[in-house]
Amino acid sequence: MHRLLRTVLLGLASLAGLVAHATPLINAAGRQALALNGRWHVIVDPYDNGYVNYRLQRFDASAKPNGGYFLDRKPATPAELIEYDFDTSASLNVPGDWNSQDDKLLYYESTVWYRRLFDFTPRSADARQFIHFGGANYEADVYLNGAKLGRHVGGFTPFEFEVTGKLRSAGNSLVVRVNNARRPEAVPTVNTDWWNYGGLTRDVMLLETPATCIRDFVLRLQPGAGRRVRGFVQLDGSAQPVKVEIPELKISVEAAADARGRANFEFELKGAQLWSPEQPRLYAVTLSSGADRLTEKVGFRTIETRGSDILLNGKPIFLRGISLHEENPLRGGRATTPADARQLLGWAQELGCNYVRLAHYPHNEHMARVADEMGILLWAEVPVYWTIHWDNPETYANAENQLTELVTRDRNRASIIIWSMANETPISPARTVFLKKLVAHTRALDPTRLISAAMERHSPPDDPRTSIVEDELAEVTDLVSFNQYIGWYVGMPDDCAQAKWIINYNKPVIISEFGADALQGFHGDRRARFTEEFQADLYRQTLAMLEKIPQLRGMTPWILCDFRSPRRHLPNIQDGWNRKGLIGENGTRKLAFAVLQEYYARKAAEYARP
Ligand code: GCB
């Protein structure tokens, strides 16, 4: 887009105070000019006193706000009345949720104001700057030096604002109002089974680029197209030539950008090793255009289905998986760093996994980058969970936007093979229309990955032993995935032996969840709920039952680690934790860990045979 037009449009958008930049810069960490992580001063503001006046009018809706904490003011004279002061207020770590940093905020669901001061010297007169947020749960209003930059809705995806020409050399005040109130029409809605961690939960960075910069790119193999890589580089600024190089493969190709700044690429990946869990080979890919240059590590592989098989690089694979929340059970709170990702994915590998389900919302960007390095396949999903408002067009727009932000951020990650639309949504015409629309949208954004959703099973009223999976949505997804809790929410583990399955789809079947609560260290009879023996027995019996499904090609039992949930009240057992982890809150493996580990060792051997 022409620079002037873009500036005008962005200007209008920020006047409206509504939107962040449409597509955040790809690989933000690769461009970081200044880390804005660390201690931020905070004001806990349950009544939104810094946001609205006593008539509930927003301060930032007025051209000349006469109040609002985002002004970050100090009294000019002792006579002036100002009833807040960031400098002497408490502080919290960014990235980080507030709940796990201060006991008083454990259940807090409202507004916290964050403020960070910084100095900045641009690297050249025509350089551009952007403030990039990895994520803020759930909505964020962002202000620089007292003026509103914009607003972002959705707790788990990145957003960014251009601040070129708005920075001072010293004493910039960046203020963010983060509000994590649950709302019925939001995505997710008010009811979930995970902790509603609020705050600036992900990295905050000031990015700097030349006047024309690389905003986005996609480079990937197309199933069925041999070793041909296809993709594009999207510039932001003026149209100029773009070069893609992979020095290790002696690849160097150039293309002109069209009037919209898009340069299309197609080249042969000669002599390359494909990426797989066994050999997670990544290549340094350098993109350059004018003064801008960006290096990324990219793996190349294909993923497709044929009948009930999943083919990775053309070969059948069994997805030996586990589900994961973005939580560090040892430290408490959200997992935020590459080290957190390595710990969680390392535990999954110890279990024998080649695959992980990142439940139930987009995880931070480190997760897929570390999975790329470690060789772990991923299922990534958006928080379209349980009973959201299927008929509300704004709810749909919100879900679609979160999905777009996730797919755009991560579509160069070889590890991600599945985009998941939803979890356990009750079948109705409105829900199916909503989800089919999301499927079509996702296919348009990324036609090279598999699409799924965690669906459900049901039993005919007169035949509780039979489980049927029948959902119109499965006609448009690549996989038939569903959660099932026979032996925990339905009957007892011994019921698995008699279970019959009716799944009339010639597609790969993935069990997206099964499991049972067990308190680590609590032992007893295998029929006693919450004992490690019960959970281990449920795993043994469930695995034997699932083996009878002929199209079974993978699973992600629920879940790797115990995680916090406000729905879990049983004293001395749950105490605010969902206990379905194979690893307890102190890192100790439960008995079921070894059961699944043994099964995965067998599955790996079975699929390794020629
Ligand atoms: C489910 C949900 C998951 C819950 C789990 C449970 O079906 O998808 O979010 O945590 O069951 O433990 O009940």
Side-chain angles (χ1 to χ4, degrees):
M1 197 191 301
H2 188 276
R3 180 119 191 247
L4 184 66
L5 177 62
R6 189 179 48 79
T7 314
V8 171
L9 286 180
L10 279 176
L12 286 177
S14 63
L15 263 188
L18 280 175
V19 282
H21 205 297
T23 311
L25 287 165
I26 199 87
N27 189 8
R31 300 179 166 279
Q32 179 165 311
L34 183 68
L36 296 173
N37 289 342
R39 297 300 283 185
W40 288 52
H41 281 288
V42 294
I43 298 174
V44 178
D45 184 15
Y47 288 7
D48 253 334
N49 196 44
Y51 191 56
V52 289
N53 65 18
Y54 80 133
R55 299 291 185 233
L56 292 181
Q57 293 153 330
R58 267 172 41 211
F59 291 116
D60 67 12
S62 132
K64 277 205 164 160
N66 63 351
Y69 293 177
F70 51 89
L71 296 177
D72 188 10
R73 294 207 37 214
K74 302 284 255 186
T77 67
E80 194 180 355
L81 176 65
I82 293 183
E83 293 183 89
Y84 68 92
D85 181 4
F86 278 107
D87 290 342
T88 51
S89 290
S91 64
L92 288 174
N93 277 328
V94 172
D97 59 87
W98 60 60
N99 317 68
S100 66
Q101 295 189 57
D102 180 346
D103 281 352
K104 286 196 301 299
L105 300 177
L106 183 62
Y107 286 98
Y108 185 71
E109 295 186 309
S110 187
T111 288
V112 172
W113 293 88
Y114 284 76
R115 194 224 46 198
R116 161 88 197 222
L117 299 177
F118 65 95
D119 301 339
F120 185 72
T121 312
R123 73 176 170 213
S124 66
D126 66 345
R128 293 167 68 186
Q129 292 84 28
F130 303 86
I131 291 179
H132 182 100
F133 295 84
N137 191 37
Y138 175 77
E139 50 181 49
D141 293 272
V142 184
Y143 309 83
L144 178 68
N145 298 329
K148 186 155 192 173
L149 295 175
R151 175 180 176 77
H152 181 261
V153 174
F156 305 96
T157 43
F159 54 99
E160 164 184 301
F161 304 96
E162 180 156 12
V163 293
T164 308
K166 295 180 179 166
L167 292 170
R168 303 174 184 149
S169 55
N172 291 289
S173 157
L174 179 61
V175 174
V176 189
R177 169 187 173 268
V178 184
N179 182 294
N180 72 334
R182 287 170 295 128
R183 298 184 204 288
E185 72 285 1
V187 182
T189 182
V190 288
N191 199 9
T192 70
D193 188 23
W194 68 81
W195 209 267
N196 181 23
Y197 290 114
L200 293 176
T201 50
R202 296 186 183 163
D203 299 320
V204 184
M205 294 172 258
L206 183 67
L207 315 180
E208 193 165 34
T209 72
T212 292
C213 62
I214 295 162
R215 175 156 294 283
D216 190 14
F217 80 94
V218 175
L219 288 173
R220 60 196 167 199
L221 290 174
Q222 217 93 20
R227 291 284 178 105
R228 281 200 89 63
V229 170
R230 285 197 199 126
F232 66 86
V233 173
Q234 178 66 50
L235 298 179
D236 177 343
S238 46
Q240 53 188 32
V242 182
K243 197 191 245 179
V244 172
E245 291 164 283
I246 310 180
E248 268 185 279
L249 297 172
K250 301 194 172 48
I251 290 172
S252 174
V253 279
E254 219 174 298
D258 64 17
R260 294 173 306 139
R262 189 177 164 116
N264 291 317
F265 285 90
E266 186 166 343
F267 55 85
E268 200 72 25
L269 201 65
K270 274 200 280 302
Q273 210 176 20
L274 297 187
W275 184 98
S276 70
E278 293 73 33
Q279 287 180 315
R281 184 68 161 93
L282 300 175
Y283 290 95
V285 175
T286 299
L287 315 172
S288 49
S289 183
D292 201 21
R293 190 181 164 87
L294 186 68
T295 298
E296 272 268 30
K297 284 192 192 155
V298 180
F300 297 95
R301 54 108 193 93
T302 58
I303 191 79
E304 60 199 308
T305 63
R306 193 200 297 137
S308 59
D309 278 335
I310 301 173
L311 307 180
L312 177 73
N313 299 325
K315 285 202 271 316
I317 186 169
F318 187 88
L319 300 178
R320 309 187 306 270
I322 192 75
S323 299
L324 204 71
H325 263 297
E326 191 198 58
E327 204 177 66
N328 180 326
L330 303 182
R331 192 189 54 232
R334 282 265 169 256
T336 55
T337 63
D340 287 341
R342 263 182 215 110
Q343 176 172 73
L344 291 166
L345 297 177
W347 284 341
Q349 272 186 338
E350 180 195 326
L351 188 61
C353 293
N354 60 3
Y355 166 64
V356 160
R357 174 183 181 196
L358 301 179
H360 278 302
Y361 39 76
H363 286 217
N364 65 62
E365 195 171 343
H366 303 303
M367 207 62 104
R369 287 181 180 272
V370 171
D372 263 15
E373 283 167 21
M374 292 176 66
I376 294 188
L377 300 160
L378 297 176
W379 152 310
E381 82 188 70
V382 284
V384 175
Y385 183 93
W386 291 351
T387 52
I388 68 162
H389 285 195
W390 307 111
D391 287 313
N392 184 336
E394 278 173 29
T395 302
Y396 177 80
N398 182 349
E400 187 185 279
N401 185 52
Q402 294 190 42
L403 195 48
T404 305
E405 289 174 342
L406 166 65
V407 172
T408 312
R409 188 192 70 182
D410 283 353
R411 62 187 157 175
N412 290 303
R413 303 280 79 80
S415 51
I416 298 188
I417 54 167
I418 298 164
W419 301 123
S420 177
M421 307 291 105
N423 181 73
E424 286 185 355
T425 51
I427 297 179
S428 74
R431 162 274 196 187
T432 303
V433 166
F434 184 113
L435 292 182
K436 282 187 169 178
K437 221 167 132 190
L438 275 191
V439 170
H441 177 76
T442 310
R443 284 211 197 279
L445 276 177
D446 181 7
T448 65
R449 285 182 173 80
L450 308 180
I451 291 185
S452 195
M455 295 178 253
E456 292 178 301
R457 55 164 279 287
H458 71 269
S459 292
D462 54 343
D463 183 7
R465 286 182 180 170
T466 296
S467 288
I468 304 174
V469 181
E470 200 172 28
D471 187 333
E472 206 186 313
L473 184 64
E475 288 161 20
V476 298
T477 55
D478 298 298
L479 307 171
V480 177
S481 309
F482 59 92
N483 303 348
Q484 72 80 25
Y485 281 91
I486 296 173
W488 184 254
Y489 292 123
V490 184
M492 287 289 282
D494 285 343
D495 296 332
C496 291
Q498 282 88 44
K500 285 195 195 59
W501 290 89
I502 301 178
I503 306 175
N504 289 326
Y505 298 99
N506 182 26
K507 293 187 180 189
V509 166
I510 302 292
I511 313 303
S512 31
E513 286 179 31
F514 69 83
D517 280 60
L519 178 65
Q520 185 274 316
F522 181 43
H523 292 283
D525 188 81
R526 72 175 177 92
R527 287 185 191 83
R529 297 253 173 188
F530 299 106
T531 61
E532 288 198 35
E533 285 73 12
F534 187 109
Q535 189 191 40
D537 182 52
L538 177 131
Y539 267 69
R540 255 181 234 111
Q541 303 222 45
T542 303
L543 293 169
M545 169 183 77
L546 298 177
E547 280 287 310
K548 292 185 205 146
I549 300 175
Q551 310 98 310
L552 182 75
R553 294 297 179 275
M555 60 183 72
T556 45
W558 193 252
I559 181 170
L560 183 65
C561 303
D562 287 358
F563 61 98
R564 284 190 181 277
S565 168
R567 294 166 59 87
R568 307 292 170 176
H569 301 129
L570 190 62
N572 306 319
I573 299 279
Q574 294 177 319
D575 299 314
W577 289 77
N578 182 312
R579 296 291 183 196
K580 295 192 186 69
L582 294 176
I583 300 180
E585 70 184 89
N586 61 2
T588 306
R589 281 74 174 142
K590 303 179 193 172
L591 294 176
F593 188 96
V595 176
L596 188 61
Q597 197 177 38
E598 204 184 295
Y599 173 74
Y600 280 164
R602 259 195 293 129
K603 266 338 234 189
E606 195 182 300
Y607 271 75
R609 269 181 240 129

